Each structure stands twice: as C-alpha cells, then as structure tokens.
Amino acid sequence: MGLLQLNSQPSTLSSTKPMARKTKEDAEITRQRIIDAAREVFSTHGVSKTSLEKIAKHANVTRGAVYWHFENKAELSFAMREQVILPLFDRMDETLLVNNHNLDPLQRIENFLLATINVLNHDPATRQTYEIFMTKCEYVDEFSLVLEEILDNCSDIVKKLEQTYEEARQQNLVHLNHSPADLAMDTHLFFSGLLHMWVKDSDGTRFRDRAKSMIQTHLSLRRK
Amino acid sequence: MGLLQLNSQPSTLSSTKPMARKTKEDAEITRQRIIDAAREVFSTHGVSKTSLEKIAKHANVTRGAVYWHFENKAELSFAMREQVILPLFDRMDETLLVNNHNLDPLQRIENFLLATINVLNHDPATRQTYEIFMTKCEYVDEFSLVLEEILDNCSDIVKKLEQTYEEARQQNLVHLNHSPADLAMDTHLFFSGLLHMWVKDSDGTRFRDRAKSMIQTHLSLRRK
DNA sequence: TTGCATACATACAAGAATGTATGTATATTA
DNA sequence: TAATATACATACATTCTTGTATGTATGCAA
C-alpha cells in the first residue's frame, strides 16, 4: 500500500502521503524542511507559542518526524540559529581581516557592517532568524545557553574590530588619543544597537531605511 | 469564620487567610504585590513559561485576584513595564534638558547615560523589568504593541539628544562637520547597544563593570 | 534474501494553562 | 441598617502541548 520506492534516489515528497521513506538524502531534506517551517512559524508567532504540532503541519510531516530529527523545540531552534550564525562569522573574517581589495582598515570595518545589513535585507532566512532570536524568544532555561554564546561571539567581534582599528592607527587614519580597544567597543555597541533597532523596525520606515547612512556616519566620525 | 475587619484601615495581610477583604487601600496593595510577584517570577522563568497560577501563589493570592486586577498576563506585564518606564522618562527630561548644575551639554548627556546605568545597578525592580523586556519576553501578538511604543520612545530620546547636541555645537564643544542629528543617532545606537549588552551580561563580568567607562569614552570621542 | 536499523506516522497518557462561572464575605453607600 | 458593589477564592470545562510508546514500511548491509 502507498507509493513504492524503486531505488535509492531522493523521492519527490509528493502530496499523496507514502507512509514511510528512508534514503539519507530524503531524511536530510525533511530535516531542512522542518527547520524552514520552524523559522517561518516562529517568526510570526514566536517560539513559545509555537507548538511542534504546528511546525510539523507547516512542514507537511508529523511530530514523529520532528522528534526523530530534534530532541525538542530548543534543539530545533539552536540548529536553526547555527545555519545563519556560522556564515556570518565566515563573512566577518573575510570582510574584516582579509584585505582583498586594497581597502584601508576603516573601509573594511564599514564594509563589514554594510555587508551584514545587506544580508539581512536580501536573505529572508537570515532576517527571520535574527528577528526570532532578538525579539521572539525568551532567554531562560536552555535558551540562556545561547546568551553565553552571544557574549562570546561579541567578545570575538570586538577583538577583530580592535585588530582592525590598530591597523588604522598605524596608518594614521584615526586620532591618536583614541585607543583601538575603545574604538572597537564603541563601534560594537553602535552596531549592536543598530541591529536591535533594525530588527524592531519591521515596517522599515524608521531605521532600516537609514541604517546604511548611519554606518557611514559612524565611521566618518572616526576618520582623522 | 475567618478574621473580622473591624474598620476601614488597611489590614495587615497576615499569614492566616481571611477569605475576603476589601478596602481600596488593601486592593491597591494586593495589586502591587501581584505586579511585584510577576516581575520576580518573570525574571527567572520568562513571561511565557510563567502561569498566572505561579504568579498568584508567589503573591499569596489566587488567580481570582489576578484576574480581578488584570485582564490577562499581557496587561499585567504592561502595567509592570509602565512602573519603570515612566520614571525613566521623567529622569531623562530632568537630566538631559534642564540645566540644573551649570553643566555643559555634553556633560548632561553623559550624566543621563550614567544615571540610567546607575538606576539599573541600584534598583532591582527596574533592572528586572529591563531584563524581562529585553531578553525574557516575545514580541508577538499583544506584545508587538510594545515594540511600537519602544520605537516611539527611541525617537523621543533621539530628538532630545539632538537638541542637546545642538546646544553643544553652539557652544563650540563638538566638531562642526558633525550634525547634531547624526551625533544624536550615533549616541542613541551606542546606548541602545550598551543596554542590551548590560542586560545580557547578567554575571556582570563582561560589560556591566565596564559600562560607565564606556560611556565616558563615547562622549570623549565627541568632544573637540 | 534475510535481518536490522532507519525514518518516520500514529496513538496514548498526563499535565498544564486559560478563561469563565460562581460563591461569598466584607466594605461602602444610600 | 439594608442593599449593592467590591475584592477576591473556588470550581469547572476546555483546549493545548508535551513526551513517549508503539507500529510499520522501507533502505541497506551482510
């Protein structure tokens, strides 16, 4: 009964429901669909008010599939977060530290900030994930582990900014009475605030449209 | 049966449970106790995972009392928020706009930021409320109304900062190539980021201890 | 081709949590 | 002082949600 799988190629996951499937490729597709579904439902109803049942339905599977791939809602959320956080840090290293295009250090910082905003503007998955983790989840119980991670990540960002500002100072691009550490922390706080405002302004009429110019302004304030 | 109320003075709300009470003063005390209880439970378990039953028990009342004073959990949360937000704005007007102590505009901005951090350090209710609304609630459904309010408040803060920076410019305290609007927005984003980091660093070892010096640094970056 | 592991779907049990309806004793007011 | 409104406590019905247990068809390996 149901559709027969004749070989190991990923099946089409068609609308008629075959009762069980199994190639590793199919399983991976299912897993990703669950993550995608979770992101979408989370971003409209928040994490707490979203049951695994709703996620499952939105992904055209049952809770059985969700529990097969993830321990619980928290672990599912963490997997979702990693998918956008890791690429962000790759971009950071590339944009900020590697001098590909003969840009001066201050330009690299500006580019890093602009690039991040750009991703948020153009990649819905990243944007939704940011919204979820900044305004639609609660950092208690298991989620408080994420807070620690965030703090670690921030320290990392500040370090790399500091390195870059140090370069800028050596090239005499910034005023000497400002230490790279201070500049780095100030820029980080600026950007942190900007991201929070950007996310909160879901209409896009108060901050999102001005984000880029604010970044340029921030860096022009540093330049000698 | 139960304790008798002999007059209209607020009763002592003793540990033995009289079944019903009623002076307006008592009711107001009960209401405040519910708010206090909610704040405490919210700040450890988050809003979503806190039932009205838990709040009621923590306040030594039943859900009946909670529903008498508040429509639901959201309205209770909003009442809680107002108790700390309104004083904050009063402080802002006083510290930022009124020149009580012959301080120059940049000093007034610095004082406003420092004063806010000071309140967070010393007033547990304010601190807990900030923590709740920044990391322990989800801005969906009724709560998304708060997001609008926050955006309005931010615009207000930026306006007042701009006014103050305008004064600073007239007194030739800042570089002329920076517009007061830009400076105001940059300072607001800085402080917004600082507050978020401050709240997330619940241990107090990464940001809280350095907050004040970061504020001073931020303003020294502006001064001519 | 048999046997086991995989990838789910289905079914079950149990506990919250909410909103509301109702009971009730006391304050307040007329 | 009687009547009414207040300030709750209690009880109830219902709806979600979770976790787990179980069923089952298929892929895959020996």
Side-chain angles (χ1 to χ4, degrees):
Chain A
M1 137 170 90
L3 298 180
L4 293 177
Q5 295 285 134
L6 298 182
N7 54 26
S8 313
Q9 294 170 8
S11 63
T12 52
L13 296 176
S14 61
S15 53
T16 58
K17 292 184 192 172
M19 277 295 141
R21 267 183 239 97
K22 233 191 38 163
T23 65
K24 291 205 167 186
E25 290 91 345
D26 277 348
E28 193 49 43
I29 289 172
T30 301
R31 188 186 133 97
Q32 186 60 46
R33 281 172 50 152
I34 291 171
I35 291 180
D36 292 340
R39 193 188 331 102
E40 283 165 26
V41 187
F42 282 165
S43 74
T44 64
H45 298 302
V47 173
S48 295
K49 293 185 184 175
T50 298
S51 65
L52 294 183
E53 176 70 27
K54 283 182 193 168
I55 295 173
K57 273 190 180 158
H58 199 262
N60 273 328
V61 293
T62 65
R63 271 171 52 240
V66 178
Y67 273 107
W68 174 257
H69 286 283
F70 306 97
E71 262 191 52
N72 50 36
K73 196 160 69 176
E75 295 300 324
L76 166 54
S77 309
F78 298 163
M80 193 187 79
R81 178 170 180 269
E82 279 199 16
Q83 292 197 340
V84 312
I85 289 299
L86 300 183
L88 170 76
F89 272 77
D90 292 346
R91 274 194 305 278
M92 175 169 67
D93 288 350
E94 231 175 291
T95 318
L96 206 53
L97 299 182
V98 180
N99 190 351
N100 285 325
H101 307 288
N102 259 39
L103 298 171
D104 78 41
L106 294 182
Q107 282 170 334
R108 295 210 304 278
I109 292 176
E110 186 172 325
N111 277 2
F112 163 59
L113 305 184
L114 289 173
T116 304
I117 294 295
N118 231 21
V119 173
L120 288 178
N121 269 321
H122 297 304
D123 180 32
T126 304
R127 180 171 59 246
Q128 287 174 334
T129 306
Y130 265 73
E131 287 169 357
I132 291 164
F133 278 86
M134 291 175 90
T135 59
K136 293 165 197 305
C137 76
E138 301 182 0
Y139 291 98
V140 291
D141 301 336
E142 308 130 288
F143 264 77
S144 51
L145 298 175
V146 181
L147 269 193
E148 306 288 331
E149 264 196 55
I150 292 177
L151 286 174
D152 287 342
N153 292 345
C154 288
S155 296
D156 199 42
I157 293 177
V158 172
K159 258 185 215 164
K160 287 168 182 165
L161 284 172
E162 185 177 345
Q163 277 183 250
T164 316
Y165 274 122
E166 174 61 35
E167 279 188 62
R169 200 170 73 153
Q170 282 165 9
Q171 296 177 30
N172 203 29
L173 297 172
V174 295
H175 296 280
L176 286 175
N177 51 340
H178 305 144
S179 79
D182 285 346
L183 292 173
M185 183 59 82
D186 191 76
T187 291
H188 169 251
L189 294 178
F190 157 80
F191 194 56
S192 178
L194 181 65
L195 283 179
H196 275 279
M197 286 299 150
W198 194 96
V199 164
K200 282 178 184 140
D201 176 33
S202 49
D203 296 343
T205 57
R206 287 162 171 263
F207 278 96
R208 294 196 183 185
D209 50 349
R210 302 166 58 192
K212 295 193 175 183
S213 92
M214 291 191 274
I215 289 171
Q216 291 160 351
T217 297
H218 177 79
L219 275 133
S220 81
L221 288 174
R222 267 110 177 74
R223 209 174 273 278
K224 205 170 183 177
Chain B
M1 139 170 86
L3 297 180
L4 292 177
Q5 295 286 134
L6 298 181
N7 55 26
S8 314
Q9 293 171 9
S11 63
T12 53
L13 296 175
S14 62
S15 52
T16 58
K17 291 185 193 173
M19 277 295 141
R21 268 184 238 97
K22 231 193 39 162
T23 64
K24 290 205 169 186
E25 290 91 345
D26 277 348
E28 192 49 42
I29 289 173
T30 301
R31 187 186 133 96
Q32 186 60 46
R33 281 172 49 153
I34 292 170
I35 290 181
D36 291 340
R39 193 187 334 100
E40 283 165 27
V41 187
F42 282 164
S43 75
T44 63
H45 298 306
V47 173
S48 295
K49 293 184 183 175
T50 298
S51 65
L52 294 182
E53 176 71 28
K54 282 183 193 166
I55 296 173
K57 272 191 179 157
H58 200 264
N60 274 328
V61 293
T62 64
R63 272 170 52 242
V66 178
Y67 275 106
W68 174 257
H69 286 284
F70 306 96
E71 262 192 52
N72 49 37
K73 197 161 67 175
E75 296 299 324
L76 166 55
S77 308
F78 298 163
M80 194 188 78
R81 179 169 179 270
E82 279 198 16
Q83 292 197 342
V84 313
I85 289 299
L86 299 183
L88 170 75
F89 273 77
D90 291 346
R91 273 194 305 278
M92 175 171 65
D93 289 350
E94 231 176 291
T95 318
L96 206 52
L97 299 181
V98 181
N99 190 349
N100 285 325
H101 307 288
N102 260 39
L103 298 171
D104 78 42
L106 294 182
Q107 283 170 332
R108 295 210 304 276
I109 292 175
E110 186 172 326
N111 277 2
F112 164 58
L113 304 184
L114 289 172
T116 305
I117 294 295
N118 230 22
V119 173
L120 289 177
N121 269 320
H122 296 305
D123 179 34
T126 303
R127 179 171 60 246
Q128 286 174 334
T129 306
Y130 265 73
E131 286 169 357
I132 292 164
F133 278 86
M134 291 176 88
T135 59
K136 293 164 197 304
C137 75
E138 300 183 0
Y139 290 99
V140 291
D141 302 336
E142 308 128 288
F143 265 77
S144 50
L145 298 175
V146 180
L147 268 194
E148 307 288 330
E149 264 196 55
I150 291 177
L151 286 174
D152 287 342
N153 292 346
C154 288
S155 295
D156 199 42
I157 292 177
V158 172
K159 257 186 217 165
K160 285 167 182 164
L161 283 173
E162 186 177 344
Q163 276 183 251
T164 316
Y165 274 123
E166 174 61 36
E167 278 189 61
R169 199 170 73 154
Q170 283 163 10
Q171 296 177 30
N172 203 28
L173 298 171
V174 296
H175 296 280
L176 286 176
N177 51 341
H178 305 145
S179 79
D182 285 346
L183 291 173
M185 183 60 81
D186 192 76
T187 291
H188 169 250
L189 294 179
F190 157 80
F191 194 56
S192 179
L194 180 65
L195 284 179
H196 276 279
M197 286 300 148
W198 194 96
V199 163
K200 283 179 184 138
D201 176 34
S202 49
D203 295 343
T205 56
R206 288 163 172 263
F207 279 96
R208 294 197 181 183
D209 50 350
R210 303 166 58 193
K212 295 193 176 184
S213 93
M214 291 191 274
I215 289 171
Q216 290 159 350
T217 297
H218 177 80
L219 275 131
S220 81
L221 288 175
R222 268 110 177 72
R223 209 175 273 277
K224 206 170 183 177

